[in-house]
């Protein structure tokens, strides 16, 4: 998609307006090579002045996204929610959270994004609802039919005072909460997120109807939250000692009765049928934490979902040998089912890339929550972190397939690691008994302009999470003026990607020193140096783009270069 063909002008407050020459077309399979920008709506831009991001703010900033050159946005849950887990606790799947706006505004932002050439993906949360959802409210009131839509069970032990099984919540503590009437209900996440019972046909029918509700509004697809969790093993058996349900956010190499059950695939076959009723094509992207890429590929069979996040890239340390393995594995498995590889460097659940790369790098894939603990004890070198994050972005954007960019990565933001404890909202903080600070540090509202908080994020004085005092140089407006900024690197990268990599064909590794990952795709080459010494680039190759300035014949440490090398 040629969004770099749009023209733009800077308006006085530093924002951009655009004059799109090209709107969304029904071109086939745009999603196979798309760059998808993740909008964590609560922290993207605030149009109402209450310190919380919203649809009005997103509408204002569509020109920024069009100029960046993204093909699509994925909007994190924007439905009515008590925000027990940042909106992943949905109270009504067919409406908009009042803090974010109205359904009428949702219609507008979908239409305006399309006009700007940007597709719109929403986030569907089918594993659990909010405890404020009317079905759960009815279940709590004792309605037996309503209880069938969730997992209610008597407890174990003489008085039923033990949870029905040994499953642990992903956020910490037991995955069961007991009600005053003695029954327990299952919640693999926070107590405010009761798990649906997907054996109940009413649940299946309801979600197919919700999909159609939003497809009718023109949304182009859905990211599926906890796609591997919907179906539980018959009878909800114990996981057994050492096999609790917690490690869903890290790679777990063994099966567990709460996750990745074969029955889940029938649900997605039904969803695909709903999507297939629509033109242009509607697509799905699964968030499925499964033991390996072979299990992941099952979600991508031809009558199921089109894409699934491949998270190993996000967990890979800055080491060429591990990056090469991760890339090979992802490409091979995606190819085995004819799906595009789907690269994720960052999202709203993990520590920001700059910070992840700012400390010593392990020699294995990172287990995200464990790393947060270690990082608190090791000082961060943000200069190195940013340098590597820029290099990693160029690696990600040169790979075949789809790339997801989390908001703020294009500004090179670091994790806010010093949030005061009393402002933390992530349920992980409480449920871990304050042993894990959780994910708020990557969810701090974006800095848009100016030298002090709220940095153009809001017209109000405060923001729902406080912003650091040193973000003046990180704002989009400041970076717009600096040709070497991370924002301008991303803009150029997306433009060169569209012209070069998107149609470049298969990846072929180039033999290099172990600390270098280099590949060619057709006439283009991508060289990544994760080592400490500079490496020679191939003679005669022309540098199209590099993550550091002044590259010609050698590539310094912690840098990536894109080369044009016809015939070599
Ligand atoms: C994955 C989401 O990305 C995360 O933010 C959320 O807490 C869990 N699913 C539960 O919905």
């Amino acid at each position: 998609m040629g969004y770099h063909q749009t023209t733009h002008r800077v308006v006085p407050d530093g924002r951009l307006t655009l004059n799109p020459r090209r709107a969304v077309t029904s071109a086939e399979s745009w999603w196979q090579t798309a760059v998808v920008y993740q909008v964590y709506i609560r922290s993207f831009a605030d149009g109402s002045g209450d310190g919380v991001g919203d649809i009005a703010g997103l509408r204002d900033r569509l020109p920024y996204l069009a100029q960046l050159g993204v093909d699509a946005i994925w909007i994190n849950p924007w439905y009515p929610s008590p925000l027990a887990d940042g909106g992943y606790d949905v109270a009504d799947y067919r409406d908009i959270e009042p803090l974010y706006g109205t359904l009428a505004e949702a219609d507008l932002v979908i239409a305006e994004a399309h006009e700007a050439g940007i597709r719109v993906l929403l986030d569907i949360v089918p594993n659990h609802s909010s405890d404020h959802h009317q079905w759960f409210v009815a279940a709590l009131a004792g309605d037996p039919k309503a209880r069938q839509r969730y997992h209610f069970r008597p407890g174990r032990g003489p008085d039923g005072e033990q949870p029905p099984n040994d499953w642990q919540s992903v956020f910490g503590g037991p995955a069961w909460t007991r009600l005053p009437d003695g029954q327990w209900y299952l919640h693999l996440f926070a107590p405010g997120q009761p798990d649906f019972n997907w054996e109940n046909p009413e649940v299946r029918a309801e979600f197919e109807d919700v999909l159609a509700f939003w497809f009718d509004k023109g949304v182009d697809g859905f990211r599926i939250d906890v796609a591997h969790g919907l179906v539980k093993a018959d009878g909800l058996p114990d996981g057994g000692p050492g096999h609790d349900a917690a490690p869903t956010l890290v790679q777990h190499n063994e099966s567990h009765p709460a996750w990745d059950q074969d029955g889940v695939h029938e649900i997605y076959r039904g969803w695909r049928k709903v999507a297939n009723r629509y033109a242009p094509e509607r697509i799905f992207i699964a968030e499925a934490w499964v033991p390996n890429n072979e299990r992941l590929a099952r979600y991508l069979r031809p009558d199921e979902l089109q894409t699934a996040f491949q998270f190993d890239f996000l967990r890979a340390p800055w080491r060429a040998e591990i990056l090469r393995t991760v890339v090979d594995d992802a490409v091979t498995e995606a190819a085995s089912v004819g799906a595009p590889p789907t690269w994720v460097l960052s999202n709203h659940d993990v520590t920001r890339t700059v910070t992840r790369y700012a400390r010593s790098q392990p020699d294995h894939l990172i287990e995200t929550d464990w790393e947060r603990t270690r990082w608190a004890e090791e000082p961060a070198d943000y200069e190195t972190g940013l340098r590597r994050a820029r290099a990693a972005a160029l690696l990600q954007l040169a790979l075949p397939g789809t790339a997801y960019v989390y908001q703020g990565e294009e500004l090179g933001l670091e994790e806010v690691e010093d949030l005061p404890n009393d402002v933390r909202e992530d349920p992980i903080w409480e449920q871990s008994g304050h042993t894990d600070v959780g994910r708020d540090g990557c969810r701090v509202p974006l800095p848009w302009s100016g030298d002090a908080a709220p940095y153009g994020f809001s017209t109000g004085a405060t923001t729902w999470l406080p912003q650091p005092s040193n973000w003046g140089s990180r704002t989009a407006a400041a970076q717009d003026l600096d040709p070497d900024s991370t924002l301008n690197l991303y803009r150029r990268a997306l433009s060169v990607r569209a012209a070069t990599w998107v149609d470049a064909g298969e990846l072929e590794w180039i033999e290099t020193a172990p600390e270098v990952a280099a590949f060619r795709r057709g006439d283009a080459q991508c060289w990544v140096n994760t080592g400490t010494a500079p490496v020679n680039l191939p003679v005669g190759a022309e540098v199209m783009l590099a993550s550091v300035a002044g590259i010609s014949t050698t590539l310094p440490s912690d840098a990536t270069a894109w080369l044009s090398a016809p015939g070599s």
Side-chain angles (χ1 to χ4, degrees), residues 25-104:
T25 67
S26 57
E28 290 263 310
S29 305
W30 57 273
W31 48 270
Q32 298 198 353
T33 55
V35 175
V36 182
Y37 184 93
Q38 182 188 347
V39 175
Y40 193 75
I41 189 160
R42 202 178 180 190
S43 298
F44 183 67
D46 170 22
S48 70
D50 63 358
V52 179
D54 52 29
I55 298 177
L58 173 56
R59 289 175 63 201
D60 273 355
R61 303 293 176 173
L62 286 174
Y64 169 87
L65 296 175
Q67 193 203 8
L68 183 57
V70 301
D71 301 295
I73 50 176
W74 148 36
I75 306 172
N76 286 106
W78 61 357
Y79 317 104
S81 167
L83 301 175
D85 180 23
Y88 283 95
D89 46 322
V90 178
D92 180 351
Y93 290 85
R94 294 182 188 78
D95 205 348
I96 295 290
E97 161 60 37
L99 278 171
Y100 301 151
T102 62
L103 265 183

Side-chain angles (χ1 to χ4, degrees), residues 151-155 160-164 176-178 182-186:
H151 294 284
F152 280 80
R153 293 283 185 285
E161 76 288 353
Q162 300 295 325
W176 295 89
T177 288
R178 195 175 198 193
Q183 287 264 307
W184 297 75
Y185 71 89
L186 176 69

Side-chain angles (χ1 to χ4, degrees), residues 19-268:
N19 170 20
R21 292 208 197 117
R22 181 167 177 182
V24 160
T25 67
S26 57
E28 290 263 310
S29 305
W30 57 273
W31 48 270
Q32 298 198 353
T33 55
V35 175
V36 182
Y37 184 93
Q38 182 188 347
V39 175
Y40 193 75
I41 189 160
R42 202 178 180 190
S43 298
F44 183 67
D46 170 22
S48 70
D50 63 358
V52 179
D54 52 29
I55 298 177
L58 173 56
R59 289 175 63 201
D60 273 355
R61 303 293 176 173
L62 286 174
Y64 169 87
L65 296 175
Q67 193 203 8
L68 183 57
V70 301
D71 301 295
I73 50 176
W74 148 36
I75 306 172
N76 286 106
W78 61 357
Y79 317 104
S81 167
L83 301 175
D85 180 23
Y88 283 95
D89 46 322
V90 178
D92 180 351
Y93 290 85
R94 294 182 188 78
D95 205 348
I96 295 290
E97 161 60 37
L99 278 171
Y100 301 151
T102 62
L103 265 183
E105 287 178 283
D107 287 331
L108 287 173
V109 77
I110 294 165
E112 289 166 0
H114 285 170
E115 257 169 57
I118 297 172
R119 264 108 176 169
V120 179
L121 307 179
L122 299 185
D123 208 321
I124 187 131
V125 189
N127 182 67
H128 43 262
S129 70
S130 161
D131 58 350
H132 289 214
H133 190 284
Q134 60 174 12
W135 279 5
F136 196 73
V137 172
L140 283 185
D143 174 352
K145 193 165 163 333
R147 289 201 174 188
Q148 294 298 320
R149 298 176 185 135
Y150 296 90
H151 294 284
F152 280 80
R153 293 283 185 285
R156 296 201 280 206
D159 300 314
E161 76 288 353
Q162 300 295 325
N165 67 21
D166 66 356
W167 299 359
Q168 296 295 298
S169 155
V170 173
F171 294 157
W176 295 89
T177 288
R178 195 175 198 193
L179 297 172
D181 65 15
Q183 287 264 307
W184 297 75
Y185 71 89
L186 176 69
H187 53 85
L188 289 175
F189 293 88
Q193 294 171 295
D195 280 50
F196 281 117
N197 170 18
W198 275 86
E199 302 307 328
N200 185 331
E202 282 178 10
V203 174
R204 295 190 183 226
E206 170 69 0
F207 272 90
E208 292 193 0
D209 197 63
V210 167
L211 294 176
F213 175 85
W214 291 103
F215 285 152
D216 286 343
K217 290 190 171 296
V219 308
D220 299 282
F222 285 93
R223 175 260 190 195
I224 306 171
D225 188 61
V226 199
H228 57 310
L230 279 50
V231 171
K232 280 78 178 169
D234 270 352
L236 311 183
D238 281 345
H243 291 77
D244 61 29
T248 186
L249 294 183
V250 299
Q251 185 166 24
H252 45 274
N253 289 310
E254 295 166 51
S255 61
H256 185 280
W259 306 117
D260 193 32
Q261 300 295 304
D262 288 343
V264 80
H265 297 286
E266 200 46 45
I267 296 170
Y268 299 131

Side-chain angles (χ1 to χ4, degrees), residues 519-531:
F519 59 83
R520 70 169 67 77
R521 294 180 59 207
D523 289 342
Q525 296 187 6
C526 175
W527 284 65
V528 185
N529 183 4
T530 66

